[in-house]
Coordinates of all heavy atoms in Angstrom, one line a residue:
Chain A
G16 N 136.7 -86.5 -31.1 CA 137.7 -87.1 -30.5 C 139.1 -86.8 -31.2 O 140.2 -87.1 -30.6
Q17 N 139.0 -86.2 -32.4 CA 140.2 -85.9 -33.1 C 140.7 -84.6 -32.6 O 140.1 -83.9 -31.8 CB 139.9 -85.8 -34.6 CG 139.6 -87.0 -35.3 CD 139.4 -87.0 -36.8 OE1 138.8 -86.1 -37.3 NE2 140.0 -87.9 -37.5
E18 N 142.0 -84.1 -33.1 CA 142.6 -83.0 -32.7 C 142.4 -81.9 -33.8 O 142.5 -82.3 -35.0 CB 144.0 -83.2 -32.4 CG 144.8 -81.9 -32.1 CD 146.3 -82.2 -31.8 OE1 146.6 -82.7 -30.7 OE2 147.1 -81.7 -32.8
A19 N 142.2 -80.7 -33.4 CA 142.2 -79.6 -34.5 C 143.3 -78.6 -34.2 O 143.6 -78.2 -33.0 CB 140.8 -78.8 -34.3
R20 N 144.1 -78.2 -35.2 CA 145.1 -77.2 -35.1 C 144.8 -76.1 -36.1 O 144.7 -76.2 -37.3 CB 146.5 -77.9 -35.5 CG 147.0 -78.6 -34.4 CD 148.4 -79.4 -34.8 NE 149.0 -80.0 -33.7 CZ 150.2 -79.7 -33.0 NH1 150.7 -78.6 -33.4 NH2 150.6 -80.4 -32.1
L21 N 144.7 -74.8 -35.5 CA 144.4 -73.6 -36.2 C 145.6 -72.8 -36.2 O 146.2 -72.6 -35.1 CB 143.2 -73.0 -35.6 CG 141.9 -73.6 -35.8 CD1 141.7 -75.0 -35.1 CD2 140.7 -72.7 -35.3
R22 N 146.0 -72.3 -37.4 CA 147.1 -71.5 -37.4 C 146.9 -70.0 -37.8 O 146.0 -69.8 -38.5 CB 148.2 -72.0 -38.5 CG 148.7 -73.4 -38.1 CD 149.6 -74.0 -39.2 NE 148.8 -74.4 -40.3 CZ 148.3 -75.6 -40.5 NH1 148.4 -76.4 -39.4 NH2 147.6 -75.9 -41.5
C23 N 147.7 -69.1 -37.2 CA 147.5 -67.7 -37.5 C 148.9 -67.0 -37.7 O 149.7 -67.1 -36.8 CB 146.8 -67.2 -36.3 SG 146.9 -65.3 -36.3
S24 N 149.1 -66.4 -38.8 CA 150.2 -65.6 -39.1 C 149.9 -64.2 -39.0 O 149.0 -63.7 -39.6 CB 150.8 -65.9 -40.4 OG 151.2 -67.3 -40.5
P25 N 150.4 -63.4 -38.0 CA 150.1 -62.1 -37.8 C 150.6 -61.1 -38.9 O 151.4 -61.7 -39.7 CB 150.8 -61.6 -36.5 CG 152.0 -62.6 -36.4 CD 151.5 -63.8 -37.0
M26 N 150.1 -59.9 -38.9 CA 150.7 -59.0 -39.9 C 152.1 -58.7 -39.7 O 152.6 -58.8 -38.6 CB 149.8 -57.6 -39.8 CG 148.4 -57.7 -40.3 SD 147.5 -56.2 -40.0 CE 148.4 -55.1 -41.2
K27 N 152.8 -58.3 -40.8 CA 154.2 -58.0 -40.6 C 154.4 -57.0 -39.6 O 153.8 -55.9 -39.6 CB 154.8 -57.7 -42.0 CG 156.3 -57.4 -42.1 CD 156.6 -57.1 -43.5 CE 158.2 -56.9 -43.5 NZ 158.7 -56.5 -44.9
G28 N 155.4 -57.2 -38.7 CA 155.7 -56.2 -37.8 C 154.8 -56.3 -36.5 O 155.1 -55.6 -35.5
H29 N 153.8 -57.1 -36.4 CA 153.0 -57.3 -35.3 C 153.6 -58.4 -34.5 O 153.8 -59.6 -35.1 CB 151.6 -57.6 -35.7 CG 150.8 -56.5 -36.2 ND1 149.5 -56.5 -36.5 CD2 151.3 -55.3 -36.7 CE1 149.1 -55.3 -36.9 NE2 150.2 -54.6 -37.1
S30 N 153.7 -58.3 -33.2 CA 154.3 -59.4 -32.3 C 153.2 -59.7 -31.2 O 153.7 -60.5 -30.3 CB 155.5 -58.9 -31.6 OG 155.3 -57.7 -30.9
H31 N 152.0 -59.3 -31.3 CA 150.9 -59.7 -30.3 C 149.8 -60.4 -31.2 O 149.3 -59.9 -32.2 CB 150.4 -58.4 -29.7 CG 151.6 -57.7 -28.9 ND1 151.7 -57.9 -27.6 CD2 152.6 -56.9 -29.4 CE1 152.9 -57.1 -27.2 NE2 153.2 -56.5 -28.3
V32 N 149.3 -61.5 -30.6 CA 148.4 -62.2 -31.3 C 147.1 -62.4 -30.2 O 147.4 -62.8 -29.1 CB 148.9 -63.6 -31.8 CG1 147.8 -64.6 -32.1 CG2 149.7 -63.3 -33.0
Y33 N 145.9 -62.5 -30.7 CA 144.7 -62.8 -30.0 C 143.8 -63.7 -30.6 O 143.7 -63.7 -31.8 CB 143.9 -61.3 -29.8 CG 144.8 -60.2 -29.4 CD1 145.4 -59.5 -30.3 CD2 144.8 -59.7 -28.1 CE1 146.2 -58.4 -30.1 CE2 145.6 -58.5 -27.8 CZ 146.2 -57.9 -28.8 OH 147.1 -56.8 -28.4
W34 N 143.2 -64.5 -29.9 CA 142.3 -65.6 -30.5 C 140.9 -65.3 -29.9 O 140.8 -65.1 -28.6 CB 142.7 -66.9 -30.1 CG 143.9 -67.5 -31.0 CD1 145.3 -67.4 -30.6 CD2 143.9 -68.1 -32.2 NE1 146.0 -68.0 -31.6 CE2 145.2 -68.4 -32.6 CE3 142.8 -68.5 -33.1 CZ2 145.4 -69.0 -33.8 CZ3 143.2 -69.1 -34.3 CH2 144.5 -69.4 -34.6
Y35 N 140.0 -65.3 -30.8 CA 138.5 -65.2 -30.5 C 137.7 -66.3 -31.0 O 138.1 -66.9 -32.0 CB 138.0 -63.8 -30.9 CG 138.5 -62.5 -30.3 CD1 139.8 -62.1 -30.8 CD2 138.0 -61.9 -29.4 CE1 140.4 -61.0 -30.3 CE2 138.5 -60.8 -28.8 CZ 139.7 -60.3 -29.3 OH 140.2 -59.1 -28.7
R36 N 136.6 -66.6 -30.3 CA 135.8 -67.7 -30.9 C 134.4 -67.1 -31.1 O 133.9 -66.3 -30.3 CB 135.7 -68.9 -29.9 CG 134.8 -70.0 -30.3 CD 134.9 -71.3 -29.5 NE 134.5 -71.1 -28.2 CZ 134.5 -72.2 -27.2 NH1 134.9 -73.3 -27.7 NH2 134.2 -72.0 -26.0
Q37 N 133.7 -67.4 -32.2 CA 132.3 -67.1 -32.4 C 131.5 -68.3 -32.7 O 131.6 -69.0 -33.6 CB 132.3 -66.2 -33.6 CG 130.9 -65.5 -33.8 CD 130.8 -64.4 -34.9 OE1 131.7 -64.5 -35.8 NE2 130.1 -63.4 -34.6
L38 N 130.7 -68.6 -31.6 CA 129.8 -69.7 -31.8 C 128.6 -69.3 -32.7 O 128.3 -68.2 -32.8 CB 129.2 -70.2 -30.4 CG 130.2 -70.7 -29.3 CD1 129.7 -70.9 -27.9 CD2 130.7 -72.1 -29.9
P39 N 127.9 -70.3 -33.3 CA 126.8 -70.0 -34.2 C 125.8 -69.0 -33.6 O 125.4 -69.3 -32.5 CB 126.3 -71.3 -34.5 CG 127.4 -72.3 -34.3 CD 128.2 -71.8 -33.3
E40 N 125.5 -68.0 -34.2 CA 124.5 -67.0 -33.9 C 124.9 -66.2 -32.6 O 124.0 -65.7 -32.0 CB 123.1 -67.7 -33.7 CG 122.7 -68.4 -35.0 CD 122.6 -67.5 -36.3 OE1 122.3 -66.3 -36.1 OE2 123.0 -68.0 -37.4
E41 N 126.2 -66.2 -32.3 CA 126.5 -65.6 -31.1 C 127.7 -64.6 -31.4 O 128.2 -64.5 -32.5 CB 127.1 -66.6 -30.0 CG 126.0 -67.4 -29.4 CD 126.5 -68.1 -28.2 OE1 127.5 -67.9 -27.7 OE2 125.9 -69.2 -27.9
G42 N 128.1 -63.7 -30.4 CA 129.2 -62.7 -30.7 C 130.5 -63.3 -30.4 O 130.6 -64.5 -30.0
L43 N 131.5 -62.5 -30.8 CA 132.8 -63.0 -30.7 C 133.3 -63.0 -29.1 O 132.9 -62.0 -28.4 CB 133.8 -62.0 -31.4 CG 133.9 -62.3 -32.9 CD1 132.9 -61.5 -33.5 CD2 135.3 -62.0 -33.3
K44 N 133.9 -64.0 -28.6 CA 134.3 -64.1 -27.3 C 135.8 -64.2 -27.2 O 136.4 -65.1 -27.9 CB 133.8 -65.2 -26.6 CG 132.3 -65.2 -26.5 CD 131.6 -64.1 -25.7 CE 130.2 -64.2 -25.7 NZ 129.6 -63.1 -24.9
F45 N 136.5 -63.4 -26.5 CA 138.0 -63.5 -26.3 C 138.4 -64.9 -25.7 O 137.8 -65.3 -24.7 CB 138.5 -62.4 -25.4 CG 140.0 -62.4 -24.9 CD1 141.0 -62.2 -25.8 CD2 140.1 -62.9 -23.6 CE1 142.2 -62.2 -25.4 CE2 141.4 -63.0 -23.1 CZ 142.6 -62.8 -24.0
M46 N 139.5 -65.4 -26.2 CA 140.1 -66.6 -25.6 C 141.4 -66.4 -24.9 O 141.6 -66.7 -23.9 CB 140.2 -67.7 -26.7 CG 138.9 -68.1 -27.4 SD 139.1 -69.3 -28.6 CE 139.4 -70.9 -27.6
V47 N 142.3 -65.8 -25.8 CA 143.7 -65.9 -25.2 C 144.5 -64.7 -25.9 O 144.2 -64.4 -27.1 CB 144.4 -67.2 -25.4 CG1 144.5 -67.6 -26.9 CG2 145.7 -67.3 -24.8
Y48 N 145.5 -64.2 -25.2 CA 146.4 -63.1 -25.8 C 147.8 -63.6 -25.6 O 148.1 -64.0 -24.5 CB 146.1 -61.8 -25.1 CG 147.2 -60.8 -25.1 CD1 147.8 -60.5 -26.4 CD2 147.5 -60.0 -24.1 CE1 148.7 -59.5 -26.5 CE2 148.4 -59.0 -24.1 CZ 149.0 -58.7 -25.3 OH 149.9 -57.8 -25.3
L49 N 148.6 -63.5 -26.6 CA 150.0 -64.1 -26.6 C 150.9 -63.0 -27.2 O 150.5 -62.3 -28.2 CB 150.2 -65.4 -27.4 CG 149.1 -66.4 -27.1 CD1 148.1 -66.5 -28.3 CD2 149.9 -67.8 -27.1
Q50 N 152.1 -62.9 -26.7 CA 153.3 -62.3 -27.3 C 154.2 -63.5 -27.6 O 153.9 -64.5 -27.2 CB 153.8 -61.3 -26.4 CG 152.9 -60.1 -26.0 CD 153.5 -59.1 -25.0 OE1 154.7 -59.2 -24.7 NE2 152.6 -58.3 -24.4
K51 N 155.2 -63.1 -28.3 CA 156.2 -64.1 -28.7 C 156.6 -64.9 -27.6 O 157.1 -64.4 -26.6 CB 157.4 -63.5 -29.5 CG 157.1 -63.0 -30.8 CD 157.1 -64.1 -31.8 CE 156.9 -63.6 -33.3 NZ 156.9 -64.7 -34.2
E52 N 156.4 -66.2 -27.6 CA 156.9 -67.2 -26.6 C 156.2 -67.0 -25.2 O 156.6 -67.7 -24.2 CB 158.4 -67.2 -26.5 CG 159.1 -67.6 -27.8 CD 160.6 -67.6 -27.5 OE1 161.2 -66.5 -27.5 OE2 161.1 -68.7 -27.5
N53 N 155.2 -66.1 -25.1 CA 154.5 -65.9 -23.8 C 153.0 -65.8 -24.0 O 152.6 -65.3 -24.9 CB 155.0 -64.6 -23.2 CG 156.4 -64.6 -22.6 OD1 156.7 -65.6 -21.8 ND2 157.3 -63.7 -23.1
I54 N 152.4 -66.5 -23.0 CA 151.0 -66.3 -23.0 C 150.6 -65.2 -21.9 O 151.1 -65.4 -20.7 CB 150.2 -67.6 -22.4 CG1 150.4 -68.7 -23.4 CG2 148.7 -67.3 -22.2 CD1 149.8 -70.1 -23.0
I55 N 150.0 -64.1 -22.3 CA 149.8 -63.0 -21.4 C 148.5 -63.1 -20.7 O 148.5 -62.8 -19.5 CB 149.9 -61.7 -22.2 CG1 151.3 -61.6 -23.0 CG2 149.7 -60.5 -21.3 CD1 152.4 -61.7 -22.1
D56 N 147.4 -63.5 -21.4 CA 146.1 -63.6 -20.8 C 145.4 -64.7 -21.4 O 145.2 -64.7 -22.6 CB 145.4 -62.2 -21.0 CG 144.0 -62.2 -20.4 OD1 143.6 -63.2 -19.8 OD2 143.4 -61.2 -20.4
E57 N 145.1 -65.7 -20.6 CA 144.3 -66.8 -21.2 C 143.0 -67.0 -20.4 O 142.5 -68.1 -20.3 CB 145.0 -68.2 -21.1 CG 145.7 -68.5 -19.7 CD 146.4 -69.8 -19.8 OE1 146.4 -70.6 -20.7 OE2 147.2 -70.0 -18.8
S58 N 142.5 -65.9 -20.0 CA 141.3 -65.9 -19.1 C 140.0 -66.4 -19.8 O 139.1 -66.9 -19.2 CB 140.9 -64.6 -18.5 OG 140.8 -63.6 -19.6
G59 N 140.0 -66.4 -21.2 CA 138.9 -66.8 -21.9 C 139.0 -68.3 -22.4 O 138.1 -68.8 -23.1
M60 N 140.2 -68.9 -22.2 CA 140.3 -70.2 -22.7 C 139.6 -71.2 -21.8 O 139.7 -71.2 -20.6 CB 141.9 -70.5 -22.7 CG 142.5 -69.9 -23.8 SD 142.5 -70.7 -25.3 CE 143.9 -71.8 -25.1
P61 N 138.9 -72.2 -22.5 CA 138.3 -73.3 -21.6 C 139.5 -74.1 -21.0 O 140.6 -74.1 -21.4 CB 137.7 -74.2 -22.7 CG 137.4 -73.3 -23.9 CD 138.5 -72.3 -23.8
K62 N 139.2 -74.5 -19.8 CA 140.2 -75.0 -18.8 C 140.8 -76.4 -19.4 O 142.0 -76.7 -19.2 CB 139.7 -75.4 -17.6 CG 139.3 -74.1 -16.7 CD 140.5 -73.3 -16.4 CE 140.1 -72.0 -15.4 NZ 139.9 -70.8 -16.3
E63 N 140.1 -77.1 -20.1 CA 140.6 -78.4 -20.7 C 140.6 -78.5 -22.2 O 139.7 -77.7 -22.8 CB 139.7 -79.5 -20.2 CG 139.8 -79.7 -18.6 CD 138.9 -80.7 -18.0 OE1 138.1 -81.2 -18.9 OE2 139.0 -81.1 -16.8
R64 N 141.5 -79.1 -22.7 CA 141.5 -79.6 -24.2 C 142.0 -78.4 -25.1 O 142.4 -78.6 -26.3 CB 140.2 -80.0 -24.7 CG 139.5 -81.2 -24.0 CD 138.3 -81.7 -24.7 NE 137.3 -80.7 -24.6 CZ 136.8 -80.0 -25.7 NH1 137.4 -80.3 -26.9 NH2 135.8 -79.2 -25.6
F65 N 142.0 -77.1 -24.7 CA 142.4 -76.0 -25.4 C 143.8 -75.6 -25.1 O 144.1 -75.4 -23.8 CB 141.5 -74.9 -25.4 CG 140.2 -75.0 -26.1 CD1 139.2 -75.9 -25.7 CD2 140.0 -74.3 -27.2 CE1 138.0 -76.2 -26.3 CE2 138.7 -74.6 -28.0 CZ 137.8 -75.4 -27.4
S66 N 144.7 -75.3 -26.0 CA 146.0 -74.6 -25.6 C 146.4 -73.8 -26.9 O 145.8 -73.9 -28.0 CB 147.1 -75.7 -25.4 OG 147.2 -76.6 -26.6
A67 N 147.2 -72.9 -26.5 CA 147.7 -71.9 -27.6 C 149.1 -71.6 -27.4 O 149.7 -71.7 -26.3 CB 146.9 -70.6 -27.6
E68 N 149.9 -71.3 -28.6 CA 151.3 -71.0 -28.5 C 151.6 -70.0 -29.5 O 150.9 -69.9 -30.6 CB 152.1 -72.2 -28.6 CG 152.0 -72.9 -29.8 CD 152.9 -74.2 -30.0 OE1 153.6 -74.5 -29.0 OE2 153.1 -74.7 -31.1
F69 N 152.6 -69.3 -29.3 CA 153.1 -68.4 -30.3 C 154.7 -68.4 -30.4 O 155.3 -67.6 -29.6 CB 152.7 -66.9 -29.9 CG 153.0 -65.9 -31.1 CD1 153.2 -66.2 -32.4 CD2 152.8 -64.5 -30.8 CE1 153.5 -65.3 -33.4 CE2 153.0 -63.6 -31.8 CZ 153.3 -64.0 -33.1
P70 N 155.3 -69.4 -31.1 CA 156.7 -69.6 -30.8 C 157.5 -68.3 -31.5 O 157.1 -67.6 -32.2 CB 156.9 -70.8 -31.7 CG 155.8 -70.8 -32.6 CD 154.6 -70.2 -31.9
K71 N 158.8 -68.4 -31.2 CA 159.7 -67.4 -31.6 C 159.6 -67.4 -33.2 O 159.7 -66.2 -33.8 CB 161.1 -67.7 -31.2 CG 162.1 -66.5 -31.5 CD 163.4 -66.9 -30.9 CE 164.4 -65.7 -31.1 NZ 165.8 -66.2 -30.6
E72 N 159.6 -68.5 -33.8 CA 159.5 -68.6 -35.2 C 158.2 -69.2 -35.6 O 157.8 -70.2 -35.0 CB 160.6 -69.3 -35.8 CG 162.0 -68.7 -35.5 CD 162.3 -67.4 -36.2 OE1 161.6 -67.1 -37.2 OE2 163.1 -66.5 -35.7
G73 N 157.5 -68.7 -36.6 CA 156.3 -69.4 -37.2 C 155.0 -68.8 -36.6 O 155.0 -67.9 -35.9
P74 N 154.0 -69.4 -37.1 CA 152.7 -68.9 -36.7 C 152.3 -69.3 -35.3 O 152.8 -70.0 -34.7 CB 151.7 -69.6 -37.7 CG 152.3 -70.9 -38.0 CD 153.9 -70.7 -38.0
S75 N 151.2 -68.5 -34.9 CA 150.6 -68.9 -33.6 C 149.7 -70.1 -33.9 O 149.1 -70.1 -35.0 CB 149.7 -67.7 -33.0 OG 149.0 -68.1 -32.0
I76 N 149.6 -70.9 -32.9 CA 148.7 -72.1 -33.1 C 147.8 -72.3 -31.9 O 148.1 -72.1 -30.7 CB 149.6 -73.6 -32.9 CG1 150.8 -73.4 -33.9 CG2 148.8 -74.8 -33.2 CD1 150.3 -73.6 -35.4

Side-chain angles (χ1 to χ4, degrees):
Chain A
Q17 292 184 318
E18 178 180 284
R20 279 180 180 250
L21 288 64
R22 289 177 290 278
C23 169
S24 296
M26 288 177 69
K27 186 176 181 180
H29 289 190
S30 57
H31 300 261
V32 165
Y33 315 78
W34 286 93
Y35 293 81
R36 178 168 67 174
Q37 187 170 33
L38 295 169
E40 305 303 322
E41 293 189 16
L43 284 89
K44 303 291 184 189
F45 166 79
M46 298 181 75
V47 61
Y48 162 41
L49 310 101
Q50 296 176 15
K51 285 284 187 180
E52 299 185 281
N53 285 305
I54 296 174
I55 306 302
D56 182 354
E57 55 182 346
S58 58
M60 286 278 271
K62 294 289 185 269
E63 297 178 348
R64 303 187 296 108
F65 285 72
S66 62
E68 63 176 9
F69 189 16
K71 187 176 180 181
E72 301 291 337
S75 174
I76 306 288

